[in-house]
Every structure is written in C-alpha cells, then in structure tokens.
Amino acid sequence: MSAPAPSLPLRWHLVRLAVGTLLPAVVFAAVVVFQLARLERKDAERRAVRSARSLAAAFEREMSGSIRTLQALAESSHLDRGELESFRAECERVRRTQPAWRQVLLFSPDGRVLFNTSYPWGAPLPTLAEQESFTRVVETHQPIVGDVAVGKGVRRALAFPVRVPVIRAGELRYVLTAVITPESLANVVSNPSTANEEWTRTLVDHQGRVAARTRDPARFVGQPATPSFLKNTRATIEGVYPDVSMDGAPVYVAFSRTQPSDWTAAVVTPRSVLDAPVTASMLAVGGLGLMLLFASAGGAWVFSRRIERSIEQASEAATALAQGNPPHMEPSSVQELARLGEALELSGQLLRERERERDAHLAAAEVARAEAVEATQAKDVFLAMLGHELRNPLAPIVTSLEVLRRRGLAQAPEHEVISRHLRHVVRLVDDLLDMARLSRGQISLRREPIELSAVVARAVETAAPLIERRRHVLVTDVSASGLQVLADADRLTQVVANLLTNSAKYTPPGGHIQLWAREFDGGIRLIVEDDGQGLTPELIPQLFEPFVQGPRTFDRSEGGLGIGLAMVRNLVEAHGGCVEAHSEGPGRGSRFTVWLPRHAQAEAPLPQETRQGPVLSGAESMSSKRVRVLVVDDNVDAAEALADLLSMSGYEAAVAHDCPQALTRAESFRPDVALLDIGLPGVDGYGVAERIHERLGEASPVFAALTGFGQEGDRTRSQAAGFRHHFVKPIDIEDLLAFIKSLRLTRSGAA
C-alpha cells in the first residue's frame, strides 16, 4: 500500500494552478510576438529592396534620357556630310540643355578622338579614358553606360561615359559619347521619403566602383566597393544580406541591379534598425511575462481566501445536512467571472481575425489598383505614339493629293482610287487608336442608304490584287439594284473585302471563289464561298474570336494577325445583322453567310453643303489684306505641301522647320495664324508658341496645333497652352480653311 501524497494548503495549489495556467500563455505570446517582429523585419527588408529597385529604375530613366538625346544627335545630317565642326557646335548646344553632361565627344571606331566640346576645334585632345565600354559599343553596336574612371584631361576628374553608336548603312561610323559627372547622380540617389530606415543609398558601376553615395560622397565616390558587396551583388539580381559598411558599421544591404546598364543600386540600413523590433519585443514580452506570473501568484494567494470561505461554507452545509439542519451557502461569483473571461477572449480572437482579413483585402485592392493605373498609363503612351507615327507619313500624302487636285492634275481615275483608299486608311488608323471603343464594340458608323452592289464592287477592287496574284477565279452574282441597306459604305466594304481576302488566303492557287446575294427572311443574305482548305469542326465555334486562325504555312503567306473575321462579326452586328461560317471539313472549302436587314424607307442623305454647315467667307471674316499663315513642321514634305495648298487657297504662307527658323520667320513675316507641329525637335510646339508670344507680344498670331497626337489628353493640353484649335494629321483641308476664314483677327485677340 503506497504512502499518501503529502498534503498542501489550498493556497499553494491555487498558486501552482495559476502559474501552470499562465506560463504556456506567456510562452505562446512570446512566440507570437517574436514571429510578428520577424514579419515586421521582413517587411522592412522588402521595403528596402523596393527602394533599391526604385533607385535602379530612377538611374535607368536618367540614363535612358541621355541615350535618347544622344541617339537624336546621332541622326544629324552633319555626320552624313562629314561636317564634324558643325556637328560639334550642334553637340555644344545640346550639352548646354543637359545639366548632367560635362562634355560631348565623338570617336572613330578605332578609338581616336575626333572632337571634344571642352576643347576648341583643332586643339590637341586627350586620349580615350575608359576603354571597356568603348570596346563593348564597337562589338555590340548598342548604347552602353560605361564605368566611373579618372579623366585624361587637366583636371583628372571622375566621370563616366554614356556611349551611342552612329550607324550608317549598317556600318559603325562613329561612337558618340556624353561624359557625365558622378555629382549629377546626387538627385537620383537622394532619399525621397522621410523614413529613418535608410542610412545610405549608393550606386556602383559595372566594375564595382562607387559612382554615387548619399553619405560622405567626397570620401567614397570613385573608391572600389567592398569584396563582400561585389560577391553578394554578383550572385543574383536583387536581395538583402548582412555586411559591414565602408564606414565599418554593421549593416544590412538591400540591392538591385539595373538593366541594361548592369550597375548596382544599394540601400544600406544599420542592423540595429531592423533588429531593434525583435529585441524590444522579446524584452517587453519577457518583462511582462514575469510581472504577470508574480501578479497571478499574488492574486491567487489573495483570492484563495474567497474560495476557502466557499469551501468552508460547503463543508459547514454538508455537516449541517448530516446533522439534519437546513444547509446554507452564500452564492460564489467564480463561475461567472470565468465565463466572462472566456467570452472576452473569444471576442478578441474574432476581432483579430476580422482585422487580418480586412488588411489582406486592402492590400490586394491596392495592388490591383496600382496594376490597373500602370496598364492604363502604358496603353495611353502606346496609343499616343502609335497615332503619331501612323499619322505623320499620311499627312504629306493627303495634302499633296489635294494640291494635285487643285492644280487640275488629279483627273485620272487612278487619283480617285488613291484618294478613296487613302481616306479609308485614315479611318482605319482612327479606329485602331480608339482601343477602348473597339473593345466595347462602340464603333462609330456613318450610315446612309446604299446599294449592296456598290459595296461589293469596292470590296472586289480592294481584294483584286490578292485574287489575281493567286490566280483564283472569282464569280459574283449581285443585282445592281433592289438590294438596298442602310449602312456605312466603308465599313460594309471592309466586311466584304475581309471575307474575300480570307477566302483568297486559304484557297490554294487556281481555286474558285463565289460571291452572291439574295433577299432572304426579310433581309439580304450575302454569301462568300470557296473550294479552299476548309475548316475543322473544332475551329468553327472560335473562328470569329480575335487572334484565332486556321493552319498556316511556314512562310505565313496566308495569315495576318487573326482579327479580320473578328472585325467582320463586330461590324455586321453593329449594322443589326449576323454572320456565320460553315464547312464540310478540311479540304472541302468553306462558306461565310452574312445577313443584313433590308432598308425599306431610308432618309435621303443631306446635301453636302447642308452637312458642312455655314462657313463664313473671307470677305466677311477677314480684313481686306491677304491673311498670312506660318507653317512650322519638321516634316519638310508635309510643311511644303500644306504651304502650297494655302497659297492656292488665297493665303500668304511661309514655312519653318524648327524653333530658330520659326522665331526668325515670325519676326520678319508677321503671320496672322501660326500652325505649329507639337513634336518639333529640340523645342516643341508649346515652347515655340511661348517664345513667339514673348517676342511679338500683342502682335502674336493665333496659334493652332498641327500634330499626330490626337487623344483627349493631347487636346486638353493644347487648349490649356492657348492654342485656338487642335488639328490631327492628316489634316482635313476644308476644316483648316473654315477655321482660318472664321477668325476675326485683331492684334489684341492673338492667343
């Protein structure tokens, strides 16, 4: 029989119970706080990496601006003609607009210095200072950001080069170099935030030499980075690692390598900043835990008296019951307090879970918003540049055709074909740029009653070159009258032409294509049928989706981008119709059926003069003298053609191609109207208008923008800059003439 366990007073049991209950909670709390502190430190590390990545991006943006400027200089006609002294003067002018540039140099491919803007023309020049980047440019024919090196000049100053190859006819002719001082990178490495986590921000070149530093730059710029820095930053693109700074202090280094320059951007933070949360949290939890343990033991010791009293009362009640007396026991509040504590603990847990869910949703929403803003900005920039590049070559073509027409040289049918298809191209460019409207199917239609035969004739004319080249036999059966629809003629022509072109592409040479139209089911059914390669059953349901195409040969002779049939469906549905495809299988041809509602009661189109609206005559709106118009455009062909057209319309016109010419012509010519290209080289159209206004004052002309940028933001900006009108290339000459005629110019009314 075992000996009984030694008995202890109730107070000691309660103290042991309190300590045993609270100790796991304290340990758990310490673990949780430690993990939270680690997460906070990880978040600080991520912020440091983002800061390093941002610093790398800022450096690349700075270098990209210098590279683009050098590339623009490399296109100078002085280089084509070998006029190096004139080109040096041009480089000096550009250098004065670039605060970061110390000098501009031109090298031959063998490394010989042809000129240096810091030395007079013909003076002896120092040799090449930084050979490695020069060799890379010669080998790769790509722009290069070089490494920090000591200059060969008298001052022996630190600098690094930005080199751009000058290519002519596929051959390297020169290497154009801008020399940049490390001091110019001070704004790049400066910390834009007020956070105290970042201690030092540094840029290190490709060879591991410090190019810029926020702390004590005079001491460290030009010095090699530490071996541990080079080892860790060469191992990966970006990251964080512990190190000892060049000052000898223990730090954490967050870095990110720039692309394509292959420099390294680093953000250095003292270890105490990132380690402090963990240390402070553990000290706080440890101290608080000890306090709680002592408080719990003391509380258990104090409150045990209540429990003892309740037990004594229970014992007295049991004794009284044994003696036959009625038991009596005062109520105890211990159970209610326990339930209250459990409820509060449960409520706290639920609240913490809700807060974590809220923070996660807010973070996801912020990321999605940032991605959407970035995508929208990229789309806007892409559409603006696309519109500018597509419209610029169309402008001189449209204007030249109008000049030929007014000179009576455009009477041949070929000129009408060119003019009609050019207008079609212009409309396609406009639709291509309105991506948001196309994606929603909101394509603008100019409807009028038209016979389907006229549409078919134009579509056959469009597809004829491809059909003839592939030696197809085309048979059309469309009544000349009686098949009238209310439609946009150009858009419906595009539908039929796309179907014919599609059949021609996917039918082997020498095949047969049939096009016929009939009344059907209260409308008109148009069918394009061929005996080409046919369609698989799996392809037909997806055929009218964007970028879906059938099998193509390796030379891609049959296919484009896969948007033709998608455009067919969108345009047909916009006209209230439908389209479907059918094939008996591969090698058995295909048939496309378009159904359109028949036009029964069409309003006759308004006469041309009614649609145009009233236009004030020159006698009503202008003074008796000839109106003088200044055309400023760096596109020589477009400027000259527009000036000829204005002269033929009764106006006195002058031409300039850049800011200096524009200022000279404005002072001597004194124009009433100035048509300014916004995308001028050097000084843009806004700057030209500002300079003309500064020189002429109240005698300034009325300004109108002439540009390939036609989005809403571009129009708003030109209006805010004081431009009276915003013309988008290719310009509509009737709109331009109406604008000039409608002006009642006074010297005080100049924009």
Side-chain angles (χ1 to χ4, degrees):
M1 183 174 179
S2 60
S7 62
L8 293 173
L10 176 61
R11 291 187 177 185
W12 287 109
H13 286 288
L14 292 178
V15 168
R16 293 169 61 183
L17 178 62
V19 172
T21 303
L22 187 59
L23 186 60
V26 172
V27 173
F28 176 75
V31 172
V32 170
V33 171
F34 178 75
Q35 293 298 328
L36 290 177
R38 288 186 60 191
L39 292 176
E40 182 179 353
R41 173 177 160 181
K42 290 292 184 183
D43 185 61
E45 291 179 355
R46 285 194 293 269
R47 289 197 300 271
V49 172
R50 285 198 299 270
S51 181
R53 192 182 304 133
S54 175
L55 175 57
F59 172 76
E60 282 299 328
R61 284 196 299 271
E62 188 77 13
M63 295 303 100
S64 296
S66 295
I67 289 174
R68 286 194 298 270
T69 304
L70 287 174
Q71 288 174 333
L73 267 176
E75 298 298 325
S76 173
S77 59
H78 293 307
L79 288 179
D80 298 333
R81 295 190 295 267
E83 300 171 352
L84 298 187
E85 186 173 2
S86 299
F87 180 64
R88 179 190 177 281
E90 183 178 355
C91 291
E92 178 60 25
R93 288 194 300 273
V94 174
R95 186 197 65 77
R96 288 194 293 268
T97 67
Q98 301 293 322
W101 292 11
R102 171 180 292 173
Q103 57 200 18
V104 179
L105 300 91
L106 185 67
F107 295 89
S108 64
D110 59 1
R112 183 167 49 90
V113 183
L114 301 180
F115 68 73
N116 185 327
T117 56
S118 295
Y119 292 82
W121 177 258
L125 302 176
T127 59
L128 179 65
E130 200 267 311
Q131 179 67 44
E132 195 271 341
S133 63
F134 182 86
T135 302
R136 282 194 288 160
V137 172
V138 173
E139 292 176 351
T140 65
H141 291 190
Q142 296 294 324
I144 295 293
V145 177
D147 300 319
V148 176
V150 179
K152 293 296 185 67
V154 177
R155 291 179 293 177
R156 308 287 291 175
L158 289 173
F160 65 93
V162 177
R163 307 188 191 275
V164 170
V166 180
I167 307 296
R168 295 292 187 272
E171 180 182 355
L172 178 67
R173 296 282 299 279
Y174 305 100
V175 175
L176 186 59
T177 299
V179 177
I180 300 177
T181 62
E183 292 80 2
S184 64
L185 299 177
N187 291 334
V188 177
V189 299
S190 61
N191 188 1
S193 68
T194 58
N196 58 3
E197 295 176 353
E198 298 181 7
W199 187 49
T200 305
R201 292 161 64 89
T202 306
L203 282 173
V204 179
D205 66 15
H206 176 71
Q207 295 296 334
R209 190 180 298 272
V210 177
R213 196 173 191 266
T214 54
R215 288 173 60 89
D216 204 0
R219 177 184 174 189
F220 294 107
V221 170
Q223 299 298 320
T226 63
S228 58
F229 178 88
L230 297 178
K231 176 182 177 182
N232 286 279
T233 56
R234 294 296 185 268
T236 183
I237 296 297
E238 62 181 23
V240 179
Y241 73 95
D243 201 350
V244 177
S245 71
M246 300 178 72
D247 302 287
V251 294
Y252 286 103
V253 180
F255 66 90
S256 178
R257 296 233 300 275
T258 68
Q259 298 296 329
S261 300
D262 201 26
W263 283 35
T264 302
V267 174
V268 180
T269 304
R271 295 189 193 180
S272 58
V273 173
L274 296 184
D275 293 339
V278 177
T279 303
S281 299
M282 293 308 297
L283 290 176
V285 170
L288 182 61
L290 290 176
M291 291 176 59
L292 290 176
L293 288 175
F294 284 118
S296 299
W301 188 272
V302 172
F303 289 108
S304 64
R305 181 56 185 165
R306 294 184 180 181
I307 300 176
E308 288 180 348
R309 187 180 299 115
S310 298
I311 295 176
E312 289 175 356
Q313 289 179 356
S315 177
E316 292 174 357
T319 301
L321 182 61
Q323 293 175 355
N325 298 323
H328 174 74
M329 180 178 179
E330 296 180 359
S332 175
S333 59
V334 174
Q335 185 177 7
E336 287 70 13
L337 289 175
R339 290 179 179 178
L340 178 59
E342 294 175 358
L344 290 175
E345 184 179 355
L346 179 59
S347 299
Q349 293 175 354
L350 293 176
L351 181 59
R352 288 192 294 272
E353 291 177 0
R354 297 296 185 270
E355 288 177 347
R356 285 194 293 269
E357 292 177 0
R358 181 202 62 189
D359 292 342
H361 290 319
L362 288 176
E366 181 62 24
V367 170
R369 186 195 67 81
E371 292 176 351
V373 169
E374 182 179 357
T376 300
Q377 292 174 345
K379 179 204 70 176
D380 292 342
V381 172
F382 169 77
L383 292 180
M385 293 307 301
L386 180 63
H388 184 268
E389 296 302 322
L390 290 177
R391 285 174 171 145
N392 262 335
L394 292 175
I397 302 175
V398 172
T399 309
S400 299
L401 281 176
E402 182 64 19
V403 171
L404 291 176
R405 186 185 68 80
R406 297 199 174 205
R407 289 177 176 173
L409 301 178
Q411 305 301 322
E414 291 80 2
H415 287 87
E416 176 58 29
V417 172
I418 294 173
S419 179
R420 183 171 66 251
H421 285 280
L422 186 58
R423 290 193 301 269
H424 192 185
V425 169
V426 172
R427 285 197 57 189
L428 290 179
V429 170
D430 291 337
D431 286 338
L432 178 61
L433 297 178
D434 197 356
M435 294 301 292
R437 183 163 53 90
L438 283 173
S439 65
R440 295 192 300 267
Q442 298 175 349
I443 303 175
S444 176
L445 300 177
R446 293 191 281 271
R447 298 194 186 194
E448 59 183 358
I450 186 173
E451 287 291 343
L452 191 60
S453 59
V455 172
V456 171
R458 290 174 58 183
V460 170
E461 177 185 321
T462 300
L466 178 60
I467 294 175
E468 293 173 358
R469 186 169 67 249
R470 296 180 68 83
R471 304 187 305 280
H472 295 320
V473 177
L474 173 63
V475 178
T476 61
D477 182 9
V478 180
S479 174
S481 61
L483 299 178
Q484 192 179 62
V485 293
L486 182 64
D488 185 317
D490 290 337
R491 292 303 190 183
L492 203 54
T493 299
Q494 185 180 357
V495 168
V496 181
N498 279 358
L499 293 177
L500 289 174
T501 302
N502 186 75
S503 292
K505 286 179 180 178
Y506 291 95
T507 298
H512 298 78
I513 303 174
Q514 296 184 14
L515 188 157
W516 54 276
R518 297 286 188 276
E519 294 184 20
F520 179 80
D521 195 20
I524 298 174
R525 181 171 64 179
L526 182 143
I527 294 179
V528 177
E529 192 170 9
D530 61 63
D531 56 359
Q533 69 182 40
L535 303 169
T536 62
E538 297 81 10
L539 182 61
I540 291 178
Q542 309 173 24
L543 195 60
F544 294 101
E545 298 297 328
F547 311 115
V548 174
Q549 297 175 300
R552 295 174 293 174
T553 58
F554 287 108
D555 62 2
R556 296 176 59 89
S557 62
E558 299 150 342
L561 297 176
I563 64 174
L565 293 180
M567 284 295 296
V568 166
R569 183 181 66 178
N570 290 339
L571 292 174
V572 170
E573 291 178 352
H575 283 84
C578 60
V579 60
E580 62 180 17
H582 177 75
S583 176
E584 297 295 334
R588 304 182 65 179
S590 57
R591 181 172 70 251
F592 292 86
T593 302
V594 175
W595 182 90
L596 293 169
R598 180 174 182 144
H599 180 58
Q601 296 178 346
E603 292 183 1
L606 294 176
Q608 185 68 23
E609 56 273 14
T610 303
R611 292 200 302 268
Q612 291 177 347
V615 177
L616 296 177
S617 65
E620 294 173 329
S621 60
M622 295 294 179
S623 60
S624 58
K625 66 182 182 65
R626 293 180 68 191
V627 176
R628 293 186 296 274
V629 182
L630 175 63
V631 180
V632 183
D633 194 338
D634 62 326
N635 189 323
V636 177
D637 294 334
E640 297 292 345
L642 184 56
D644 290 343
L645 194 55
L646 289 169
S647 298
M648 296 172 63
S649 301
Y651 302 108
E652 188 176 349
V655 173
H657 302 303
D658 55 26
C659 181
Q661 289 185 11
L663 296 179
T664 302
R665 291 294 177 87
E667 289 184 336
S668 60
F669 185 59
R670 294 287 174 163
D672 300 303
V673 180
L675 301 177
L676 305 181
D677 181 14
I678 299 302
L680 291 172
V683 180
D684 61 15
Y686 301 118
V688 172
E690 183 178 353
R691 286 163 173 76
I692 291 177
H693 189 74
E694 290 175 355
R695 293 198 179 189
L696 301 186
E698 295 297 328
S700 298
V702 172
F703 295 111
L706 177 63
T707 175
F709 296 104
Q711 297 199 66
E712 188 61 31
D714 303 314
R715 299 178 185 273
T716 302
R717 183 181 177 189
S718 67
Q719 182 181 6
F723 284 72
R724 192 73 60 85
H725 202 286
H726 189 100
F727 291 102
V728 179
K729 297 178 181 180
I731 193 169
D732 188 325
I733 189 61
E734 297 300 332
D735 290 346
L736 175 60
L737 296 179
F739 166 71
I740 297 176
K741 289 180 181 180
S742 66
L743 295 175
R744 301 183 181 273
L745 295 174
T746 62
R747 292 300 182 185
S748 62

